[in-house]
Amino acid sequence: MKIDVISIFPEYLAPLELSLLGKAQDKGLLEINVHDLRVHTSDNHHSVDDTPYGGGAGMVMKAQIWGDALDDLITDGCDLIILTPGGRRFNQRMAEELSTKSHLLFACGRYEGIDDRVRQHYSTTAYSDRGIRVHEISIGDYVLGGGEVASMVIIEAVTRLIPGVLGNPESIVEESHMSEGFVEYPSFTKPATWRDLEVPEILLSGNHAAIAKWRSEAAHKRAQDNL
Ligand code: SAM
């Protein structure tokens, strides 16, 4: 999978080189490139924003600069993801769907966000006929300062589902959110006693059927408790 991320703070995305994502890139399973939006500015101040039409607080990111940046990177069949708190709420189903794609292109907003004509332009049939899909995605019902952290959340959730990225593929066979409302059972490791707290005895019994029953009930209780 190829992933491009456009931001005015490319250094914010440095963690994409670490851990599983770094290893997946070393193995050739992933190619991640981060691009500086300001490269497409032409004024001395490298400004990417301007005051909003209609008035109001804050600044809006200019369509022309975003258009130039996206035109350079957009490919046939790619999925353009515009991060915005007003978008569709990201979840595991969306992660699964995106993990099957070959090219994801992330647009990280700042200030009051990106001029909406950018979304409109890349949503026209000229692009959909080329298999290009635009998604406005939010990672939750709160407002961040920019789309960088949101793009990293999505990239991490999506890429761990790509075959070969996780060392042990069994890890994603049964885990939280694999189905609506499902959460995984609580986990424990050695030692069996820590600060007077004991691991549930059943987990030490070697009785696989009883362990599976305990885990299922514990997972159900956890889901109910967190409603
Ligand atoms: N004025 C915008 C609004 O009320 O919808 C918020 C803009 S926010 C301060 C700046 C940028 O951060 C957004 O353009 C978006 O890229 C990103 N952002 C903030 N919260 C987000 C969220 N929950 N999910 C995804 N992106 C978010």
Side-chain angles (χ1 to χ4, degrees), residues 83-85 108-113 137-140 142-147 150:
L83 285 321
T84 163
C108 303
R110 280 269 155 185
Y111 316 118
E112 291 303 318
I137 300 183
S138 162
I139 61 160
Y142 41 80
V143 179
L144 301 166

Side-chain angles (χ1 to χ4, degrees), residues 10-64:
E11 58 278 21
Y12 226 108
L13 285 302
L16 292 176
E17 297 295 324
L18 304 177
S19 184
L20 281 177
L21 288 174
K23 286 193 187 123
Q25 288 172 86
D26 291 343
K27 285 195 245 172
L29 295 167
L30 270 182
E31 180 191 334
I32 305 181
N33 293 302
V34 179
H35 308 269
D36 186 353
L37 180 71
R38 290 195 201 275
V39 164
H40 297 276
T41 56
S42 48
D43 63 318
N44 287 343
H45 300 290
H46 301 290
S47 54
V48 293
D49 56 331
D50 209 333
T51 52
Y53 276 120
M59 302 291 270
V60 177
M61 297 186 101
K62 294 168 181 240
Q64 191 210 317

Side-chain angles (χ1 to χ4, degrees), residues 6-154:
I6 310 174
S7 161
I8 56 167
F9 295 121
E11 58 278 21
Y12 226 108
L13 285 302
L16 292 176
E17 297 295 324
L18 304 177
S19 184
L20 281 177
L21 288 174
K23 286 193 187 123
Q25 288 172 86
D26 291 343
K27 285 195 245 172
L29 295 167
L30 270 182
E31 180 191 334
I32 305 181
N33 293 302
V34 179
H35 308 269
D36 186 353
L37 180 71
R38 290 195 201 275
V39 164
H40 297 276
T41 56
S42 48
D43 63 318
N44 287 343
H45 300 290
H46 301 290
S47 54
V48 293
D49 56 331
D50 209 333
T51 52
Y53 276 120
M59 302 291 270
V60 177
M61 297 186 101
K62 294 168 181 240
Q64 191 210 317
I65 293 168
W66 272 104
D68 290 349
L70 290 168
D71 285 350
D72 267 5
L73 296 168
I74 208 153
T75 55
D76 290 356
C78 100
D79 287 70
L80 168 59
I81 296 165
I82 301 177
L83 285 321
T84 163
R88 201 170 137 218
R89 176 106 61 87
F90 185 64
N91 62 22
Q92 191 68 10
R93 299 292 81 69
M94 290 156 81
E96 284 162 4
E97 193 204 327
L98 292 174
S99 73
T100 64
K101 309 290 185 167
S102 54
H103 183 197
L104 305 181
L105 175 51
F106 288 85
C108 303
R110 280 269 155 185
Y111 316 118
E112 291 303 318
I114 303 170
D115 186 316
D116 191 54
R117 288 170 294 181
V118 173
R119 175 191 63 79
Q120 293 173 29
H121 174 77
Y122 293 99
S123 302
T124 56
T125 51
Y127 291 93
S128 58
D129 287 350
R130 292 170 54 193
I132 293 165
R133 283 187 63 201
V134 179
H135 313 258
E136 281 195 299
I137 300 183
S138 162
I139 61 160
D141 295 344
Y142 41 80
V143 179
L144 301 166
E148 290 78 12
V149 170
S151 71
M152 285 194 281
V153 166
I154 296 172

